[in-house]
Amino acid sequence: MESQPERSVQEIALCNPIILTKILSQSSAPLKSCRLVSHFWNDTVLSLPNTRLALKLNQNQDDERDPVSFLELCYKLDDRLAKRIYAATSHLNEVTFYFATKLIHLCDKFSDQVQVLEISIYYEASLQSVFLVLKNSCPNLKQLRVRCSFSEYDVPSGETLEGPMLSLPSLTVFELNSSVVAPSPILTCFAKLVVNASPNLKKVTLPWGIYPDLETSKFLDSLTLELDDVRPLDDVLTQLKPSELTRMLNQIGDQLVHLSFSYCNISNEWESMQEDNDLDTSTPSGFRLKKKMSKLRRFENDMVDIIQHYDLWRDIERMQALESLRIGKISKKSTSVNAVLKNLSETERIFTKVTDLKIHELYDPDLLEGLKTAFPNLESLALDTFHEEEEDEEKARMELDVVLETCAGFDKLTHLHLWLPTYPEQTWEVLTALFNAVGLDTLVINTHSQNHTRHDLTDGDGYMLDLFKTLIVAMSYMDKVVINDLYLRQARTDDASRWSAGSRPNGRTGAPYTLDIIGLSHAER
């Protein structure tokens, strides 16, 4: 009898279900491909408790002519593949019927197996079929995500839903996103019915203008109210109900860990802020957080010009556990961000526990100095400036050299992420500014500009190239450096590849650093 060939250590490990499960549980593992390796691997993938595989309902119009093929698939389908279902309606209203029948049939057949539902709909009528699924099936649902992108031609019917729906004791995540001008009655009703049926919710995302009763949501610790840029600012202000918002937050304020008033840009990558014309936002909304929110660790208000606190810093001061803060605005003409930061300097409040700060649309670099006093233990800072004021060209605003020089004075800062309108035109200004960032652990710089200026390293009799090489050596001791859209002319290809990434220099121990100047060798192609 021939002896079996001795298996390698790697083969033994990959046949061990415990080790293989650990490997496949990693986020980078391509589970769809892993299923094809062997029956053993396929079984292991399908047995993962939190599989990332999703069963996607095909909305190809040609497939709707043969519904039998879909029904046949349902008979052959392994039950474990129905844990996560993704379904999207077609942009064509006439085929939404097929979406409804497929979704309802699939969720009914695999009712007990479905744990995650992710649904995108383009017509209000399709929300009725989602409601029917939740009313009659999927009692073990853990996560529900519904994105509504109703067509501008889809006139709201004014109808509501006849509840209640099936109790959902396992549902902990509910995300409802809506890019519509105003929440329709059926959308508002749907949100309230899901919340009422789910006593164990932990994370909730709601569209702007919907304020359900959260009195029974005793485990809710993360709440996001999301506004998209589809809605005109006049409608945004009309749909803000300070008393309703205050009532809702008071119901859960003592248990929240994360609270976000989020602004989502979905229509245009470059124009992220709204034209407000003559919109008057000078009158405060009167909104205030009455409870201390003693557990809150992360607070985000991307629209301080709309949700205007009676006293923002007083509210934040009552968040005794706060570690991460983000503030921003959505109106181009608003000066709200500068105003609240100026007020912070004047009141001389100090927040020692805040280590992570993000500011969207700050135009006065002098206000950065005040942040050093207000946040003495800041470790991570992100500044996103798109619509920088251009009236006073002689006065330096949020330019790279000014920002980096100021940020160099933060004693404990280790991570800095900048989004700039553009880089300085002079090469030496860019390089000398970057020297102020040496010593950070992480530096990431992006620009909003589509004008890719070429910076010439051969200017100054080789001085620029020598300065750049010195900068690269200095930055190689940092853990991560990513500088996007910095285009350098006359860089040699061999030097460019060496400057892009590598092991730590001079035998320094630790993980390899990331050094990536996007566009470095682009000019040579």
Side-chain angles (χ1 to χ4, degrees):
M1 175 182 295
E2 295 184 3
S3 60
Q4 295 293 330
E6 185 176 348
R7 294 192 298 174
S8 66
V9 175
Q10 291 82 359
E11 289 176 321
I12 295 174
L14 293 177
C15 290
N16 184 311
I18 298 177
I19 296 177
L20 183 58
T21 298
K22 290 289 185 181
I23 295 174
L24 297 179
S25 297
Q26 301 301 312
S27 60
S28 59
L31 297 184
K32 186 176 180 180
S33 300
C34 290
R35 291 186 60 210
L36 304 176
V37 174
S38 67
H39 290 292
F40 172 64
W41 278 49
N42 177 58
D43 186 68
T44 304
V45 168
L46 296 182
S47 299
L48 292 175
N50 298 311
T51 179
R52 304 183 305 278
L53 285 175
L55 185 62
K56 185 176 181 181
L57 291 186
N58 190 350
Q59 277 300 304
N60 189 320
Q61 192 173 7
D62 292 335
D63 293 343
E64 312 303 351
R65 301 171 183 174
D66 182 18
V68 176
S69 60
F70 171 73
L71 298 175
E72 183 180 8
L73 172 65
C74 291
Y75 283 116
K76 296 179 179 179
L77 193 68
D78 190 307
D79 290 2
R80 295 172 294 181
L81 280 171
K83 287 181 182 179
R84 189 185 200 109
I85 296 176
Y86 172 79
T89 61
S90 169
H91 290 274
L92 302 176
N93 193 21
E94 58 267 22
V95 297
T96 56
F97 168 77
Y98 298 107
F99 163 83
T101 53
K102 277 186 174 183
L103 180 65
I104 293 174
H105 176 77
L106 191 65
C107 290
D108 179 64
K109 181 172 177 57
F110 301 101
S111 178
D112 293 337
Q113 283 74 36
V114 179
Q115 297 180 11
V116 181
L117 267 180
E118 298 181 356
I119 300 173
S120 296
I121 58 178
Y122 295 96
Y123 294 92
E124 184 187 273
S126 300
L127 196 60
Q128 181 74 34
S129 59
V130 180
F131 169 69
L132 289 176
V133 166
L134 299 177
K135 187 175 182 179
N136 298 289
S137 58
C138 304
N140 299 318
L141 193 64
K142 295 181 179 180
Q143 300 178 24
L144 174 64
R145 297 179 177 87
V146 181
R147 174 167 290 280
C148 304
S149 303
F150 299 157
S151 167
E152 59 181 321
Y153 304 108
D154 184 29
V155 180
S157 63
E159 298 179 357
T160 58
L161 302 170
E162 296 183 6
M165 61 177 55
L166 191 70
S167 177
L168 300 171
S170 299
L171 191 67
T172 59
V173 176
F174 173 43
E175 297 179 9
L176 180 62
N177 309 100
S178 172
S179 57
V180 294
V181 173
S184 63
I186 191 173
L187 190 65
T188 302
C189 182
F190 178 79
K192 293 180 178 180
L193 287 173
V194 173
V195 170
N196 292 339
S198 313
N200 297 313
L201 283 172
K202 293 183 178 180
K203 179 180 179 181
V204 170
T205 296
L206 296 171
W208 182 256
I210 295 181
Y211 310 100
D213 185 355
L214 300 177
E215 186 65 37
T216 60
S217 301
K218 301 300 182 182
F219 302 97
L220 186 63
D221 61 17
S222 177
L223 176 64
T224 298
L225 302 182
E226 185 180 84
L227 170 67
D228 58 69
D229 58 355
V230 172
R231 305 190 196 190
L233 282 177
D234 286 324
D235 292 330
V236 170
L237 288 174
T238 301
Q239 294 155 16
L240 173 62
K241 309 293 183 184
S243 60
E244 287 292 290
L245 179 58
T246 301
R247 182 264 311 160
M248 186 173 67
L249 292 177
N250 283 341
Q251 293 175 331
I252 55 173
D254 57 353
Q255 64 196 50
L256 281 181
V257 175
H258 172 219
L259 173 62
S260 176
F261 304 131
S262 173
Y263 181 66
C264 180
N265 168 237
I266 63 173
S267 62
N268 190 307
E269 181 181 356
W270 297 101
E271 283 295 324
S272 61
M273 302 187 69
Q274 298 205 28
E275 295 284 359
D276 50 17
N277 298 319
D278 297 323
L279 183 68
D280 181 14
T281 59
S282 60
T283 304
S285 64
F287 170 71
R288 66 190 308 172
L289 297 172
K290 295 182 179 180
K291 288 198 173 184
K292 289 186 176 180
M293 295 191 171
S294 58
K295 296 182 180 180
L296 199 70
R297 294 200 299 268
R298 182 181 176 188
F299 177 61
E300 302 172 345
N301 187 347
D302 283 339
M303 48 187 107
V304 292
D305 47 343
I306 303 299
I307 301 183
Q308 300 176 339
H309 296 247
Y310 180 79
D311 186 342
L312 172 64
W313 299 112
R314 174 57 178 163
D315 285 344
I316 293 177
E317 197 172 43
R318 291 153 64 92
M319 304 172 188
Q320 300 173 1
L322 192 68
E323 299 173 354
S324 179
L325 172 65
R326 176 183 173 115
I327 59 175
K329 68 171 192 173
I330 66 175
S331 167
K332 289 183 180 179
K333 294 184 179 181
S334 169
T335 59
S336 55
V337 173
N338 281 14
V340 297
L341 291 179
K342 183 178 180 181
N343 177 258
L344 174 62
S345 299
E346 293 172 348
T347 56
E348 298 182 346
R349 287 189 171 100
I350 298 177
F351 304 94
T352 57
K353 291 187 177 180
V354 175
T355 59
D356 177 38
L357 178 64
K358 300 178 180 66
I359 302 177
H360 180 62
E361 298 303 327
L362 167 64
Y363 301 145
D364 187 352
D366 294 337
L367 294 173
L368 290 174
E369 290 288 343
L371 299 180
K372 298 178 184 178
T373 302
F375 304 99
N377 298 318
L378 204 63
E379 298 175 3
S380 177
L381 176 63
L383 301 173
D384 185 352
T385 304
F386 183 83
H387 292 282
E388 184 177 9
E389 296 175 342
E390 300 176 353
E391 289 80 0
D392 188 358
E393 296 181 357
E394 296 182 358
K395 183 178 179 180
R397 308 300 290 175
M398 297 293 288
E399 295 183 356
L400 182 63
D401 54 344
V402 177
V403 173
L404 289 181
E405 182 178 1
T406 305
C407 291
F410 285 88
D411 294 336
K412 299 184 179 180
L413 193 68
T414 56
H415 306 284
L416 180 60
H417 196 159
L418 303 178
W419 292 265
L420 304 170
T422 186
Y423 288 107
E425 293 183 1
Q426 299 298 322
T427 304
W428 70 269
E429 291 181 345
V430 177
L431 300 183
T432 53
L434 291 175
F435 271 102
N436 286 317
V438 173
L440 294 170
D441 289 342
T442 300
L443 174 66
V444 179
I445 303 179
N446 297 311
T447 67
H448 292 293
S449 174
Q450 298 185 60
N451 180 19
H452 298 149
T453 302
R454 298 283 194 257
H455 291 82
D456 198 337
L457 288 175
T458 60
D459 287 347
D461 296 326
Y463 171 74
M464 293 300 172
L465 185 58
D466 290 339
L467 184 63
F468 180 69
K469 290 180 177 180
T470 303
L471 175 66
I472 292 299
V473 172
M475 284 188 166
S476 65
Y477 287 89
M478 299 165 62
D479 290 331
K480 180 179 180 180
V481 178
V482 177
I483 305 175
N484 288 297
D485 297 326
L486 177 58
Y487 293 92
L488 304 173
R489 197 191 309 270
Q490 301 299 327
R492 295 199 309 264
T493 304
D494 57 338
D495 287 337
S497 62
R498 179 158 45 87
W499 292 333
S500 295
S503 303
R504 292 189 178 277
N506 301 330
R508 186 183 175 196
T509 59
Y513 69 91
T514 300
L515 182 57
D516 194 359
I517 301 183
I518 308 301
L520 179 61
S521 59
H522 181 78
E524 295 299 307
R525 293 175 185 172

